[in-house]
CSV table of all heavy atoms in Angstrom, one decimal:
chain,number,residue,atom,x,y,z
A,4,VAL,N,95.9,71.1,81.6
A,4,VAL,CA,94.9,71.6,82.6
A,4,VAL,C,93.9,72.4,81.8
A,4,VAL,O,94.2,73.5,81.2
A,4,VAL,CB,95.6,72.4,83.7
A,4,VAL,CG1,94.5,72.9,84.6
A,4,VAL,CG2,96.6,71.5,84.3
A,5,GLU,N,92.6,72.0,81.9
A,5,GLU,CA,91.4,72.7,81.3
A,5,GLU,C,91.0,73.8,82.2
A,5,GLU,O,91.1,73.7,83.4
A,5,GLU,CB,90.4,71.7,81.1
A,5,GLU,CG,90.7,70.6,80.1
A,5,GLU,CD,90.6,70.9,78.7
A,5,GLU,OE1,89.6,71.7,78.4
A,5,GLU,OE2,91.2,70.3,77.9
A,6,GLY,N,90.4,74.8,81.7
A,6,GLY,CA,89.8,75.9,82.5
A,6,GLY,C,90.4,77.3,82.2
A,6,GLY,O,91.5,77.4,81.6
A,7,LYS,N,89.6,78.4,82.5
A,7,LYS,CA,90.1,79.6,82.3
A,7,LYS,C,90.5,80.4,83.5
A,7,LYS,O,90.9,81.6,83.4
A,7,LYS,CB,89.0,80.4,81.5
A,7,LYS,CG,88.7,79.8,80.2
A,7,LYS,CD,87.7,80.7,79.5
A,7,LYS,CE,87.4,80.0,78.2
A,7,LYS,NZ,86.5,80.9,77.2
A,8,GLY,N,90.5,79.8,84.7
A,8,GLY,CA,90.9,80.5,85.8
A,8,GLY,C,92.4,80.7,86.0
A,8,GLY,O,93.1,80.1,85.3
A,9,ALA,N,92.8,81.6,86.9
A,9,ALA,CA,94.1,81.8,87.1
A,9,ALA,C,95.0,80.6,87.5
A,9,ALA,O,96.0,80.4,87.0
A,9,ALA,CB,94.3,83.0,88.1
A,10,PRO,N,94.5,79.8,88.5
A,10,PRO,CA,95.2,78.5,88.8
A,10,PRO,C,95.4,77.6,87.6
A,10,PRO,O,96.5,77.0,87.5
A,10,PRO,CB,94.3,77.9,89.9
A,10,PRO,CG,93.5,78.9,90.4
A,10,PRO,CD,93.2,79.9,89.3
A,11,GLU,N,94.4,77.5,86.8
A,11,GLU,CA,94.6,76.6,85.6
A,11,GLU,C,95.5,77.1,84.6
A,11,GLU,O,96.4,76.4,84.1
A,11,GLU,CB,93.2,76.4,84.9
A,11,GLU,CG,92.2,75.6,85.7
A,11,GLU,CD,91.4,76.6,86.7
A,11,GLU,OE1,91.6,77.8,86.8
A,11,GLU,OE2,90.4,76.0,87.3
A,12,THR,N,95.5,78.5,84.4
A,12,THR,CA,96.5,79.1,83.5
A,12,THR,C,97.9,79.1,84.0
A,12,THR,O,98.7,78.7,83.2
A,12,THR,CB,96.0,80.6,83.3
A,12,THR,OG1,94.6,80.6,82.8
A,12,THR,CG2,96.9,81.3,82.3
A,13,VAL,N,98.1,79.3,85.3
A,13,VAL,CA,99.4,79.2,85.8
A,13,VAL,C,99.9,77.8,85.8
A,13,VAL,O,101.1,77.5,85.4
A,13,VAL,CB,99.4,79.7,87.2
A,13,VAL,CG1,100.8,79.4,88.0
A,13,VAL,CG2,99.1,81.1,87.3
A,14,ALA,N,99.0,76.8,85.9
A,14,ALA,CA,99.4,75.4,85.7
A,14,ALA,C,99.9,75.1,84.4
A,14,ALA,O,101.0,74.4,84.1
A,14,ALA,CB,98.3,74.4,86.1
A,15,ARG,N,99.1,75.7,83.3
A,15,ARG,CA,99.6,75.4,82.0
A,15,ARG,C,100.9,76.1,81.7
A,15,ARG,O,101.8,75.7,80.9
A,15,ARG,CB,98.5,75.9,81.0
A,15,ARG,CG,97.3,75.0,81.0
A,15,ARG,CD,96.4,75.4,79.7
A,15,ARG,NE,95.8,76.8,79.9
A,15,ARG,CZ,94.7,77.1,80.6
A,15,ARG,NH1,94.0,76.1,81.2
A,15,ARG,NH2,94.2,78.3,80.6
A,16,MET,N,101.1,77.3,82.3
A,16,MET,CA,102.4,78.0,82.2
A,16,MET,C,103.5,77.2,82.7
A,16,MET,O,104.6,77.1,82.1
A,16,MET,CB,102.3,79.3,82.9
A,16,MET,CG,101.5,80.4,82.3
A,16,MET,SD,101.3,81.9,83.2
A,16,MET,CE,103.1,82.4,83.3
A,17,GLU,N,103.2,76.6,83.8
A,17,GLU,CA,104.3,75.7,84.5
A,17,GLU,C,104.7,74.6,83.5
A,17,GLU,O,105.9,74.3,83.5
A,17,GLU,CB,103.8,75.2,85.8
A,17,GLU,CG,104.8,74.5,86.6
A,17,GLU,CD,104.4,74.0,88.0
A,17,GLU,OE1,103.2,74.3,88.3
A,17,GLU,OE2,105.2,73.4,88.7
A,18,VAL,N,103.7,73.9,83.0
A,18,VAL,CA,104.0,72.8,82.1
A,18,VAL,C,104.8,73.3,80.9
A,18,VAL,O,105.8,72.7,80.5
A,18,VAL,CB,102.7,72.1,81.7
A,18,VAL,CG1,102.9,71.1,80.6
A,18,VAL,CG2,102.1,71.4,82.9
A,19,ALA,N,104.4,74.5,80.3
A,19,ALA,CA,105.1,75.0,79.2
A,19,ALA,C,106.5,75.3,79.5
A,19,ALA,O,107.4,75.0,78.7
A,19,ALA,CB,104.3,76.2,78.6
A,20,VAL,N,106.8,75.9,80.6
A,20,VAL,CA,108.1,76.2,81.0
A,20,VAL,C,108.9,75.0,81.2
A,20,VAL,O,110.2,74.9,80.8
A,20,VAL,CB,108.2,77.1,82.3
A,20,VAL,CG1,109.5,77.2,82.8
A,20,VAL,CG2,107.5,78.5,82.0
A,21,SER,N,108.4,74.0,81.9
A,21,SER,CA,109.1,72.7,82.1
A,21,SER,C,109.4,72.0,80.8
A,21,SER,O,110.5,71.3,80.8
A,21,SER,CB,108.4,71.8,83.1
A,21,SER,OG,107.2,71.2,82.4
A,22,GLN,N,108.6,72.3,79.8
A,22,GLN,CA,109.0,71.7,78.4
A,22,GLN,C,109.8,72.6,77.5
A,22,GLN,O,110.0,72.3,76.4
A,22,GLN,CB,107.6,71.4,77.7
A,22,GLN,CG,106.8,70.3,78.4
A,22,GLN,CD,105.5,70.1,77.8
A,22,GLN,OE1,105.0,70.8,77.1
A,22,GLN,NE2,104.9,68.9,78.1
A,23,GLY,N,110.2,73.8,78.2
A,23,GLY,CA,111.0,74.7,77.3
A,23,GLY,C,110.2,75.5,76.3
A,23,GLY,O,110.8,76.2,75.4
A,24,ASP,N,108.9,75.5,76.4
A,24,ASP,CA,108.0,76.3,75.5
A,24,ASP,C,107.7,77.6,76.1
A,24,ASP,O,106.6,77.9,76.5
A,24,ASP,CB,106.8,75.5,75.2
A,24,ASP,CG,106.0,76.1,74.0
A,24,ASP,OD1,106.3,77.2,73.6
A,24,ASP,OD2,105.1,75.4,73.5
A,25,TYR,N,108.7,78.6,76.1
A,25,TYR,CA,108.5,79.8,76.7
A,25,TYR,C,107.5,80.7,76.0
A,25,TYR,O,106.8,81.5,76.6
A,25,TYR,CB,109.9,80.5,76.9
A,25,TYR,CG,110.9,79.7,77.5
A,25,TYR,CD1,112.0,79.2,76.9
A,25,TYR,CD2,110.7,79.3,78.8
A,25,TYR,CE1,112.9,78.4,77.6
A,25,TYR,CE2,111.6,78.4,79.5
A,25,TYR,CZ,112.7,78.0,78.9
A,25,TYR,OH,113.5,77.1,79.5
A,26,ALA,N,107.4,80.6,74.7
A,26,ALA,CA,106.4,81.3,74.0
A,26,ALA,C,105.0,81.0,74.4
A,26,ALA,O,104.2,81.9,74.5
A,26,ALA,CB,106.6,81.1,72.5
A,27,LYS,N,104.7,79.7,74.6
A,27,LYS,CA,103.4,79.3,75.0
A,27,LYS,C,103.2,79.7,76.4
A,27,LYS,O,102.1,80.2,76.8
A,27,LYS,CB,103.3,77.8,75.0
A,27,LYS,CG,102.0,77.2,75.5
A,27,LYS,CD,101.9,75.7,75.2
A,27,LYS,CE,100.6,75.1,75.8
A,27,LYS,NZ,99.4,75.5,75.3
A,28,ALA,N,104.2,79.7,77.3
A,28,ALA,CA,104.0,80.2,78.7
A,28,ALA,C,103.6,81.7,78.7
A,28,ALA,O,102.7,82.1,79.4
A,28,ALA,CB,105.3,80.0,79.5
A,29,LEU,N,104.3,82.5,77.8
A,29,LEU,CA,104.0,83.9,77.8
A,29,LEU,C,102.6,84.1,77.2
A,29,LEU,O,101.9,85.0,77.6
A,29,LEU,CB,105.0,84.6,76.9
A,29,LEU,CG,106.3,85.0,77.6
A,29,LEU,CD1,107.3,85.6,76.6
A,29,LEU,CD2,106.0,85.9,78.7
A,30,SER,N,102.2,83.3,76.3
A,30,SER,CA,100.9,83.4,75.6
A,30,SER,C,99.8,83.1,76.7
A,30,SER,O,98.9,83.8,76.8
A,30,SER,CB,100.8,82.3,74.5
A,30,SER,OG,99.4,82.4,74.0
A,31,GLU,N,100.0,82.1,77.5
A,31,GLU,CA,99.1,81.9,78.6
A,31,GLU,C,99.2,83.0,79.6
A,31,GLU,O,98.1,83.5,80.2
A,31,GLU,CB,99.5,80.6,79.4
A,31,GLU,CG,99.2,79.3,78.6
A,31,GLU,CD,97.8,78.9,78.4
A,31,GLU,OE1,96.9,79.6,79.1
A,31,GLU,OE2,97.5,78.0,77.7
A,32,TYR,N,100.3,83.6,79.9
A,32,TYR,CA,100.4,84.7,80.8
A,32,TYR,C,99.6,85.9,80.4
A,32,TYR,O,98.9,86.5,81.2
A,32,TYR,CB,101.9,85.1,81.0
A,32,TYR,CG,102.2,86.5,81.7
A,32,TYR,CD1,102.1,86.5,83.0
A,32,TYR,CD2,102.3,87.6,80.9
A,32,TYR,CE1,102.4,87.6,83.7
A,32,TYR,CE2,102.6,88.8,81.6
A,32,TYR,CZ,102.6,88.8,83.0
A,32,TYR,OH,102.8,90.1,83.7
A,33,GLU,N,99.6,86.2,79.1
A,33,GLU,CA,98.8,87.3,78.6
A,33,GLU,C,97.3,87.2,78.7
A,33,GLU,O,96.6,88.2,78.8
A,33,GLU,CB,99.1,87.5,77.1
A,33,GLU,CG,100.5,87.9,76.8
A,33,GLU,CD,100.9,89.3,77.4
A,33,GLU,OE1,100.1,90.1,77.7
A,33,GLU,OE2,102.1,89.4,77.8
A,34,THR,N,96.8,86.0,79.1
A,34,THR,CA,95.4,85.8,79.3
A,34,THR,C,95.0,86.0,80.7
A,34,THR,O,93.8,86.0,81.0
A,34,THR,CB,94.9,84.4,78.8
A,34,THR,OG1,95.5,83.4,79.7
A,34,THR,CG2,95.4,84.0,77.4
A,35,LEU,N,95.9,86.1,81.6
A,35,LEU,CA,95.6,86.3,83.0
A,35,LEU,C,95.0,87.7,83.3
A,35,LEU,O,95.3,88.7,82.5
A,35,LEU,CB,96.9,86.2,83.8
A,35,LEU,CG,97.5,84.8,83.9
A,35,LEU,CD1,98.9,84.8,84.5
A,35,LEU,CD2,96.6,83.8,84.7
A,36,PRO,N,94.2,87.8,84.4
A,36,PRO,CA,93.7,89.1,84.8
A,36,PRO,C,94.9,90.0,85.1
A,36,PRO,O,96.0,89.6,85.6
A,36,PRO,CB,92.8,88.8,86.0
A,36,PRO,CG,92.6,87.3,86.0
A,36,PRO,CD,93.7,86.7,85.2
A,37,ASP,N,94.7,91.3,85.0
A,37,ASP,CA,95.7,92.3,85.2
A,37,ASP,C,96.3,92.1,86.6
A,37,ASP,O,97.5,92.3,86.7
A,37,ASP,CB,95.2,93.8,85.1
A,37,ASP,CG,94.9,94.0,83.6
A,37,ASP,OD1,95.5,93.4,82.7
A,37,ASP,OD2,94.1,95.0,83.3
A,38,ALA,N,95.6,91.9,87.7
A,38,ALA,CA,96.1,91.8,89.0
A,38,ALA,C,97.1,90.6,89.1
A,38,ALA,O,98.2,90.8,89.7
A,38,ALA,CB,95.0,91.6,90.0
A,39,VAL,N,96.8,89.5,88.5
A,39,VAL,CA,97.6,88.3,88.5
A,39,VAL,C,98.9,88.6,87.6
A,39,VAL,O,100.0,88.3,88.0
A,39,VAL,CB,96.8,87.1,88.0
A,39,VAL,CG1,97.8,85.9,88.0
A,39,VAL,CG2,95.6,86.8,88.9
A,40,LYS,N,98.6,89.3,86.5
A,40,LYS,CA,99.8,89.6,85.6
A,40,LYS,C,100.8,90.5,86.4
A,40,LYS,O,102.0,90.4,86.2
A,40,LYS,CB,99.3,90.3,84.3
A,40,LYS,CG,98.8,89.3,83.3
A,40,LYS,CD,98.8,89.7,81.9
A,40,LYS,CE,97.8,90.9,81.7
A,40,LYS,NZ,97.6,91.1,80.1
A,41,ALA,N,100.3,91.4,87.1
A,41,ALA,CA,101.1,92.4,87.9
A,41,ALA,C,102.0,91.5,88.8
A,41,ALA,O,103.2,91.9,89.0
A,41,ALA,CB,100.3,93.4,88.6
A,42,ALA,N,101.3,90.5,89.5
A,42,ALA,CA,102.1,89.7,90.4
A,42,ALA,C,103.2,88.9,89.7
A,42,ALA,O,104.3,88.6,90.4
A,42,ALA,CB,101.1,88.8,91.2
A,43,GLY,N,103.0,88.6,88.5
A,43,GLY,CA,103.9,87.7,87.8
A,43,GLY,C,104.7,88.5,86.7
A,43,GLY,O,105.4,87.8,85.9
A,44,ALA,N,104.8,89.8,86.9
A,44,ALA,CA,105.5,90.7,85.8
A,44,ALA,C,107.0,90.3,85.8
A,44,ALA,O,107.6,90.3,84.7
A,44,ALA,CB,105.2,92.1,86.1
A,45,GLU,N,107.6,90.1,86.9
A,45,GLU,CA,109.1,89.9,86.9
A,45,GLU,C,109.3,88.5,86.2
A,45,GLU,O,110.3,88.5,85.4
A,45,GLU,CB,109.6,89.8,88.4
A,45,GLU,CG,111.1,89.7,88.5
A,45,GLU,CD,111.6,89.6,89.9
A,45,GLU,OE1,110.9,90.0,90.8
A,45,GLU,OE2,112.7,89.1,90.1
A,46,PHE,N,108.5,87.6,86.5
A,46,PHE,CA,108.7,86.3,85.9
A,46,PHE,C,108.5,86.3,84.3
A,46,PHE,O,109.4,85.8,83.6
A,46,PHE,CB,107.7,85.2,86.4
A,46,PHE,CG,107.7,83.9,85.8
A,46,PHE,CD1,108.8,83.0,86.0
A,46,PHE,CD2,106.7,83.5,84.9
A,46,PHE,CE1,108.8,81.8,85.4
A,46,PHE,CE2,106.7,82.3,84.4
A,46,PHE,CZ,107.8,81.4,84.6
A,47,ALA,N,107.5,87.1,84.0
A,47,ALA,CA,107.2,87.3,82.5
A,47,ALA,C,108.4,88.0,81.8
A,47,ALA,O,108.8,87.7,80.7
A,47,ALA,CB,105.9,88.0,82.3
A,48,GLY,N,109.0,88.9,82.5
A,48,GLY,CA,110.1,89.7,82.0
A,48,GLY,C,111.2,88.7,81.8
A,48,GLY,O,112.0,88.8,80.8
A,49,LYS,N,111.5,87.8,82.7
A,49,LYS,CA,112.5,86.8,82.6
A,49,LYS,C,112.3,85.8,81.3
A,49,LYS,O,113.2,85.5,80.6
A,49,LYS,CB,112.8,86.0,83.8
A,49,LYS,CG,113.4,86.8,84.9
A,49,LYS,CD,113.4,86.0,86.2
A,49,LYS,CE,114.1,86.9,87.3
A,49,LYS,NZ,114.2,86.2,88.6
A,50,LEU,N,111.1,85.5,81.2
A,50,LEU,CA,110.7,84.6,79.9
A,50,LEU,C,110.9,85.3,78.7
A,50,LEU,O,111.5,84.9,77.8
A,50,LEU,CB,109.2,84.2,80.1
A,50,LEU,CG,108.9,83.1,81.1
A,50,LEU,CD1,107.4,82.9,81.1
A,50,LEU,CD2,109.6,81.8,80.7
A,51,LYS,N,110.6,86.6,78.7
A,51,LYS,CA,110.8,87.4,77.4
A,51,LYS,C,112.3,87.6,77.2
A,51,LYS,O,112.7,87.5,76.0
A,51,LYS,CB,110.1,88.8,77.7
A,51,LYS,CG,108.6,88.8,77.6
A,51,LYS,CD,108.0,90.1,77.9
A,51,LYS,CE,106.4,90.0,77.9
A,51,LYS,NZ,105.8,91.2,78.4
A,52,ALA,N,113.1,87.8,78.2
A,52,ALA,CA,114.5,87.9,78.0
A,52,ALA,C,115.1,86.6,77.5
A,52,ALA,O,115.9,86.6,76.6
A,52,ALA,CB,115.2,88.3,79.3
A,53,ARG,N,114.6,85.5,78.0
A,53,ARG,CA,115.1,84.2,77.6
A,53,ARG,C,114.8,84.0,76.1
A,53,ARG,O,115.6,83.6,75.3
A,53,ARG,CB,114.4,83.1,78.4
A,53,ARG,CG,114.7,81.7,78.0
A,53,ARG,CD,116.2,81.3,78.3
A,53,ARG,NE,116.5,80.0,77.8
A,53,ARG,CZ,116.7,79.0,78.5
A,53,ARG,NH1,116.7,79.1,79.8
A,53,ARG,NH2,117.0,77.8,78.0
A,54,LEU,N,113.5,84.3,75.7
A,54,LEU,CA,113.1,84.2,74.3
A,54,LEU,C,114.0,85.1,73.4
A,54,LEU,O,114.4,84.6,72.3
A,54,LEU,CB,111.7,84.6,74.2
A,54,LEU,CG,110.7,83.5,74.5
A,54,LEU,CD1,109.3,84.0,74.5
A,54,LEU,CD2,110.9,82.3,73.7
A,55,GLU,N,114.3,86.2,73.9
A,55,GLU,CA,115.2,87.2,73.0
A,55,GLU,C,116.6,86.6,72.9
A,55,GLU,O,117.1,86.6,71.8
A,55,GLU,CB,115.2,88.5,73.6
A,55,GLU,CG,116.0,89.5,72.8
A,55,GLU,CD,115.5,89.7,71.4
A,55,GLU,OE1,114.3,89.6,71.2
A,55,GLU,OE2,116.3,90.0,70.5
A,56,VAL,N,117.1,86.1,74.0
A,56,VAL,CA,118.5,85.5,73.8
A,56,VAL,C,118.5,84.2,72.9
A,56,VAL,O,119.4,84.1,72.1
A,56,VAL,CB,118.9,85.1,75.2
A,56,VAL,CG1,120.2,84.1,75.3
A,56,VAL,CG2,119.3,86.3,76.1
A,57,GLU,N,117.5,83.5,73.1
A,57,GLU,CA,117.3,82.3,72.2
A,57,GLU,C,117.3,82.7,70.7
A,57,GLU,O,117.9,82.1,69.8
A,57,GLU,CB,116.3,81.4,72.5
A,57,GLU,CG,116.5,80.6,73.9
A,57,GLU,CD,115.4,79.6,74.2
A,57,GLU,OE1,114.4,79.6,73.4
A,57,GLU,OE2,115.6,79.0,75.3
A,58,LYS,N,116.6,83.7,70.5
A,58,LYS,CA,116.3,84.3,69.1
A,58,LYS,C,117.7,84.8,68.6
A,58,LYS,O,118.2,84.5,67.4
A,58,LYS,CB,115.4,85.4,69.1
A,58,LYS,CG,115.1,86.1,67.8
A,58,LYS,CD,114.1,87.1,67.9
A,58,LYS,CE,114.0,87.9,66.6
A,58,LYS,NZ,113.1,89.1,66.7
A,59,GLN,N,118.5,85.5,69.4
A,59,GLN,CA,119.7,86.0,68.9
A,59,GLN,C,120.8,84.9,68.8
A,59,GLN,O,121.6,84.9,67.8
A,59,GLN,CB,120.3,86.9,70.0
A,59,GLN,CG,119.5,88.3,70.1
A,59,GLN,CD,120.1,89.2,71.1
A,59,GLN,OE1,121.0,88.9,71.8
A,59,GLN,NE2,119.3,90.3,71.4
A,60,ILE,N,120.8,83.9,69.6
A,60,ILE,CA,121.6,82.7,69.4
A,60,ILE,C,121.3,82.0,68.2
A,60,ILE,O,122.2,81.6,67.4
A,60,ILE,CB,121.5,81.7,70.7
A,60,ILE,CG1,122.2,82.4,71.9
A,60,ILE,CG2,122.2,80.4,70.4
A,60,ILE,CD1,122.0,81.7,73.2
A,61,ASP,N,120.0,81.8,67.9
A,61,ASP,CA,119.6,81.1,66.6
A,61,ASP,C,120.1,81.9,65.4
A,61,ASP,O,120.6,81.3,64.4
A,61,ASP,CB,118.1,80.9,66.5
A,61,ASP,CG,117.6,79.9,67.5
A,61,ASP,OD1,118.4,79.1,68.0
A,61,ASP,OD2,116.3,79.9,67.7
A,62,SER,N,120.0,83.2,65.5
A,62,SER,CA,120.5,84.1,64.4
A,62,SER,C,122.0,84.0,64.3
A,62,SER,O,122.5,83.9,63.1
A,62,SER,CB,120.1,85.5,64.7
A,62,SER,OG,120.6,86.4,63.7
A,63,LEU,N,122.7,83.9,65.4
A,63,LEU,CA,124.2,83.8,65.3
A,63,LEU,C,124.6,82.4,64.7
A,63,LEU,O,125.5,82.4,63.9
A,63,LEU,CB,124.8,84.0,66.7
A,63,LEU,CG,124.8,85.3,67.2
A,63,LEU,CD1,125.3,85.3,68.7
A,63,LEU,CD2,125.8,86.2,66.4
A,64,ILE,N,123.9,81.4,65.1
A,64,ILE,CA,124.2,80.0,64.6
A,64,ILE,C,123.9,80.0,63.1
A,64,ILE,O,124.7,79.4,62.3
A,64,ILE,CB,123.4,79.0,65.3
A,64,ILE,CG1,124.0,78.8,66.8
A,64,ILE,CG2,123.5,77.6,64.7
A,64,ILE,CD1,123.1,78.0,67.7
A,65,ALA,N,122.8,80.6,62.7
A,65,ALA,CA,122.4,80.6,61.2
A,65,ALA,C,123.5,81.3,60.5
A,65,ALA,O,123.8,80.9,59.4
A,65,ALA,CB,121.0,81.2,61.1
A,66,GLY,N,123.9,82.4,60.9
A,66,GLY,CA,125.0,83.2,60.3
A,66,GLY,C,126.3,82.4,60.2
A,66,GLY,O,127.0,82.5,59.1
A,67,ALA,N,126.6,81.7,61.3
A,67,ALA,CA,127.8,80.9,61.3
A,67,ALA,C,127.8,79.8,60.3
A,67,ALA,O,128.7,79.4,59.7
A,67,ALA,CB,128.1,80.4,62.7
A,68,MET,N,126.6,79.2,60.2
A,68,MET,CA,126.4,78.1,59.3
A,68,MET,C,126.6,78.5,57.8
A,68,MET,O,127.0,77.8,56.9
A,68,MET,CB,125.1,77.4,59.5
A,68,MET,CG,125.0,76.8,60.8
A,68,MET,SD,126.1,75.5,61.2
A,68,MET,CE,125.3,74.1,60.3
A,69,LYS,N,126.3,79.8,57.5
A,69,LYS,CA,126.3,80.3,56.2
A,69,LYS,C,127.8,80.6,55.7
A,69,LYS,O,128.1,80.6,54.7
A,69,LYS,CB,125.5,81.6,56.0
A,69,LYS,CG,124.1,81.4,56.0
A,69,LYS,CD,123.3,82.7,55.9
A,69,LYS,CE,121.7,82.4,56.0
A,69,LYS,NZ,121.1,83.7,55.9
A,70,ALA,N,128.6,80.9,56.8
A,70,ALA,CA,130.0,81.3,56.6
A,70,ALA,C,130.9,80.1,56.2
A,70,ALA,O,130.6,79.0,56.3
A,70,ALA,CB,130.6,81.9,57.8
């Protein structure tokens, strides 16, 4: 979805989430106006938590593969 408005950005976020690209979704979120970001803060927090869990799992798997 082309465009810089909130609806277009949210649409790109939705596509990114549906494709499992949480980093891209967060990147799009950061471009939103403050009022819109405030409305989506809980959702963004969940995305950040998901990314952190995936990072930790990747680290554990990499450690296990070395053992």
Side-chain angles (χ1 to χ4, degrees):
V4 176
E5 301 271 334
K7 295 185 180 192
E11 294 87 355
T12 302
V13 171
R15 287 191 298 273
M16 288 174 62
E17 183 178 0
V18 170
V20 168
S21 71
Q22 294 175 344
D24 192 348
Y25 305 117
K27 180 175 172 70
L29 278 173
S30 175
E31 291 286 353
Y32 170 81
E33 293 300 328
T34 69
L35 291 167
D37 289 339
V39 179
K40 284 201 293 193
E45 183 179 343
F46 176 73
K49 289 178 182 180
L50 284 178
K51 289 174 185 176
R53 173 71 185 249
L54 282 172
E55 182 59 32
V56 167
E57 287 183 359
K58 180 180 170 185
Q59 290 177 9
I60 289 171
D61 289 345
S62 178
L63 289 171
I64 291 171
M68 297 297 280
K69 289 180 183 178

